[in-house]
Amino acid sequence: MKNQQQPLVEVKGYREGLRIILRPEPPFEDVQDALVHQLDRFGDAFAGTGILLDVGERSLSDDELRRLQKLLYRRYGLEIRRVISDSDRTRQFAEILKLAAVPTLHHRETAIEASQVVQTEIARVIRQTVRAGQVERFYEGSIMVLGDVNPGGEIVASGDIIVLGTLRGIARAGCLGDTSAIIVALQLVPTQLRIGSILGRSPSTSKSLRDRNAEREKNTEIAHVVDDQIIIEEYRGI
Amino acid sequence: MGKAFVVTSGKGGVGKTTVTANLGTALSVLGKTVVVIDADIGLRNLDIVMGLESRVVYTSMDVIQGNCDLKKALVKDRRSENLHLLAASQKDDKTSIQPEQMRKICMELKEEYDFVLIDSPAGIEQGFQNAAAGADAAVVVTTPDVAAVRDADRIIGLLQQRDLNDISLIINRLDQAMVKRGDMMDQEDVVDILSVRLIGVIPEDDAVVVSSNRGLPLALEPNAMAARAFKRVAQRLLGEEIPIPEFREPNWFTGLIQRLLNS
Ligand SMILES: Nc1ncnc2c1ncn2[C@@H]1O[C@H](COP(=O)(O)OP(=O)(O)OP(=O)(O)O)[C@@H](O)[C@H]1O
Ligand SMILES: [Mg+2]
């Protein structure tokens, strides 16, 4: 009975990846359905993200593990980086699939440092410009960039995104679904913004170079969600 | 001990080879000893742009394979005593060279020459990795358009990842008239995004194409706009403080003086 209050699957932020926790007792098929149900909400928003697959006491057959790996990768672009399992067999199967595997006990030691701090109180500080082709992720709090985010660069955070520079690339705040997250930049001229699952595109794509020059002098701006829409306005403190 | 620069861009055709040939020539005119290396294995053209194709006997591949020593593989420029070329093999490809081998060649050349300029192939794969392997610094070349700047940004990120932080920027083929009409990014737009030190803006100039076809880098011709721009780049590399903006509208007075000086 106790188990029914707990969800079959939990998806949490973990450093720069996601931690997917599967309850050990329910049948595999049910757990898999629940996982699909959870992840479908995010669409392909996490493509390229690393996964910590925590199966605890559950023993997975190699076929089940393979299916999970395929499902996560094909459907969501997620890559399993590490499997946490108390079953020797499951860990062996994982290693055959070239996945690192550790028992729960061993893992706890390394996990503590990450969970000691309250989520919203940590931030990753990036002390350089994020350039084209670079993606910075942090799924346990906010990201602060001391530099610019250039076109083709991308920031993904479960909390807020603060850019002490010009944000021209892509920013996704509240990426685990928190629509109260904000994006602040000294100059906010992004290619694309996302807060939670709400999408905002740059209106300036069709603007001429001359118009964009005029924007150089703009004030610090904030993007936040009001009535299910991303609103950008001058930043005057929260 | 000299200094090795990789001349790179990400996007193809923006003027890496042109910059390598002309900057090398301009530096040698200013009295520096220079070797330019063609690292675009399999697609060599630095020798052609410098008019040295007929003099190439050995290539960097011969040096690596031990067919000849490095000194012997260097081709002396036709006009400048101080300038030498190390050509690329045409029959091999980018994968036939290892970064370590390039590094060794650069180290050896730096012992004797003030400047080693490495003309990199386009792209971010092994050819670029090889070209960058022996470099102490980078000259990133871009044209003022969105795609080239995006690739330059990518390259700068990759250079910084390999701890190559001494990065200078050259904007090539800037067309003042188009900038004025608001149809082209100006140098400020480009530097805003790339945020590295700008050491030169080379104008769009037909003389560049003509001189490349003739195999005579135009850095020696004092009248071409682009030639003067290359000379200023060389001077800035040597530490002289020459302010950028490169071009000022000639008003009737400076225009008159210019005409008098040229006549
Ligand atoms: N400032 C300029 N004005 C006019 N034409 C130019 C200028 N700079 C370069 N060009 C021309 O552009 C073409 C490409 O230049 P170049 O070969 O130097 O580029 P590249 O970056 O080395 O190309 P690749 O990536 O193929 O090696 C050449 O025909 C060259 O003459
Ligand atoms: Mg070239």
Side-chain angles (χ1 to χ4, degrees):
Chain A
M1 272 292 106
K2 193 179 90 202
N3 291 330
Q4 266 167 5
Q5 287 151 10
Q6 286 189 315
L8 300 183
V9 169
E10 276 183 89
V11 179
K12 291 181 174 170
Y14 178 74
R15 299 196 185 171
E16 57 258 298
L18 295 175
R19 179 173 186 157
I20 296 179
I21 304 165
L22 308 183
R23 289 284 148 238
E25 300 85 0
F28 179 76
E29 302 299 333
D30 293 357
V31 170
Q32 196 180 19
D33 289 349
L35 180 62
V36 168
H37 183 73
Q38 282 252 6
L39 290 177
D40 271 353
R41 290 185 308 159
F42 298 125
D44 61 355
F46 289 115
T49 299
I51 295 293
L52 203 68
L53 184 66
D54 185 349
V55 302
E57 288 159 25
R58 170 182 292 274
S59 169
L60 287 175
S61 73
D62 67 338
D63 177 55
E64 288 168 341
L65 194 54
R66 228 183 280 265
R67 270 161 66 194
L68 277 180
Q69 190 185 25
K70 218 192 255 173
L71 171 79
L72 289 171
Y73 188 72
R74 294 255 173 91
R75 187 155 171 156
Y76 308 103
L78 300 171
E79 284 174 54
I80 300 178
R81 294 275 154 78
R82 190 187 280 252
V83 177
I84 304 168
S85 165
D86 291 330
S87 146
D88 290 345
R89 275 171 58 80
T90 305
R91 290 203 305 276
Q92 274 167 17
F93 291 142
E95 267 149 31
I96 291 171
L97 293 174
K98 301 228 176 341
L99 302 169
V102 291
T104 310
L105 233 149
H106 174 77
H107 180 77
R108 283 238 170 80
E109 290 155 16
T110 57
I112 287 169
E113 50 173 298
S115 52
Q116 266 172 350
V117 200
V118 181
Q119 268 227 8
T120 52
E121 288 187 351
I122 39 178
R124 167 168 293 170
V125 179
I126 297 161
R127 305 178 66 156
Q128 64 182 40
T129 287
V130 178
R131 297 185 181 273
Q134 297 176 346
V135 185
E136 297 290 345
R137 305 174 196 275
F138 189 53
Y139 291 179
E140 280 185 46
S142 303
I143 288 187
M144 182 174 197
V145 182
L146 305 180
D148 299 336
V149 179
N150 281 352
E154 187 172 341
I155 307 288
V156 188
S158 58
D160 303 328
I161 293 174
I162 317 289
V163 179
L164 293 183
T166 305
L167 171 54
R168 301 187 186 84
I170 297 175
R172 299 201 217 139
C175 70
L176 297 177
D178 181 2
T179 48
S180 72
I182 56 166
I183 299 170
V184 176
L186 297 188
Q187 319 230 281
L188 196 55
V189 279
T191 321
Q192 197 191 97
L193 293 180
R194 205 189 283 212
I195 297 177
S197 55
I198 299 166
L199 191 73
R201 280 213 176 72
S202 161
S204 65
T205 39
S206 60
K207 279 186 190 167
S208 73
L209 290 168
R210 212 184 286 270
D211 290 341
R212 282 203 271 134
N213 283 343
E215 281 176 20
R216 272 186 185 148
E217 306 304 321
K218 270 195 329 199
N219 291 323
T220 305
E221 286 182 312
I222 176 171
H224 58 141
V225 173
V226 180
D227 296 336
D228 285 342
Q229 279 209 327
I230 294 183
I231 304 288
I232 296 179
E233 53 196 354
E234 195 179 322
Y235 177 72
R236 294 196 185 83
I238 306 179
Chain B
M1 187 79 167
K3 189 167 172 184
F5 291 78
V6 58
V7 179
T8 183
S9 68
K11 185 162 184 273
V14 298
K16 297 176 291 296
T17 302
T18 305
V19 164
T20 308
N22 283 288
L23 191 53
T25 306
L27 284 166
S28 76
V29 169
L30 293 171
K32 297 295 165 188
T33 53
V34 184
V35 177
V36 291
I37 301 181
D38 191 345
D40 201 347
I41 317 281
L43 283 172
R44 73 184 213 197
N45 48 28
L46 186 57
D47 55 336
I48 301 173
V49 170
M50 296 182 67
L52 298 175
E53 190 183 11
S54 62
R55 302 181 184 205
V56 174
V57 181
Y58 298 108
T59 65
S60 50
M61 196 55 79
D62 292 309
V63 177
I64 287 167
Q65 291 172 343
N67 300 339
C68 78
D69 63 297
L70 183 53
K71 270 249 172 65
K72 207 166 153 200
L74 297 179
V75 182
K76 197 182 77 63
D77 187 55
R78 283 189 289 169
R79 298 176 292 181
S80 171
E81 279 297 322
N82 300 341
L83 178 60
H84 288 81
L85 164 78
L86 179 60
S89 161
Q90 210 151 22
K91 52 181 197 287
D92 298 281
D93 68 32
K94 301 180 200 325
T95 57
S96 42
I97 239 179
Q98 294 303 313
E100 198 42 52
Q101 299 165 326
M102 271 300 278
R103 197 178 351 248
K104 201 162 152 261
I105 290 179
C106 290
M107 282 308 286
E108 221 176 308
L109 290 172
K110 281 193 305 185
E111 306 261 316
E112 298 221 7
Y113 293 84
D114 300 323
F115 285 91
V116 178
L117 305 183
I118 306 152
D119 181 14
S120 148
I124 56 177
E125 286 84 28
Q126 201 188 334
F128 160 72
Q129 304 292 347
N130 284 338
D136 309 301
V139 173
V140 171
V141 183
T142 186
T143 47
D145 61 274
V146 176
V149 169
R150 178 80 59 104
D151 288 358
D153 194 42
R154 185 90 209 276
I155 278 286
I156 292 170
L158 294 176
L159 290 166
Q160 288 172 337
Q161 267 170 30
R162 24 185 334 145
D163 262 334
L164 238 168
N165 293 307
D166 183 346
I167 301 173
S168 310
L169 176 69
I170 292 182
I171 302 173
N172 189 24
R173 311 196 73 157
L174 191 91
D175 185 329
Q176 276 300 86
M178 281 182 73
V179 171
K180 265 233 183 107
R181 288 199 303 269
D183 293 333
M184 186 182 260
M185 299 168 98
D186 67 9
Q187 61 196 48
E188 210 183 320
D189 292 319
V190 178
V191 173
D192 252 9
I193 291 180
L194 298 180
S195 49
V196 289
R197 183 172 57 123
L198 181 65
I199 56 159
V201 181
I202 316 294
E204 173 74 28
D205 187 345
D206 290 343
V208 172
V209 183
V210 176
S211 74
S212 289
N213 289 337
R214 290 205 186 121
L216 294 169
L218 88 172
L220 291 175
E221 293 163 34
N223 284 330
M225 249 210 306
R228 288 193 301 250
F230 278 120
K231 184 175 174 208
R232 286 193 294 266
V233 175
Q235 289 170 313
R236 288 189 194 106
L237 270 190
L238 295 176
E240 281 183 51
E241 293 276 336
I242 303 172
I244 298 178
E246 290 278 355
F247 328 103
R248 222 159 280 124
E249 266 306 282
N251 59 34
W252 69 270
F253 183 68
T254 52
L256 177 71
I257 293 195
Q258 197 82 53
R259 273 196 299 277
L260 286 174
L261 283 176
N262 286 344
S263 61

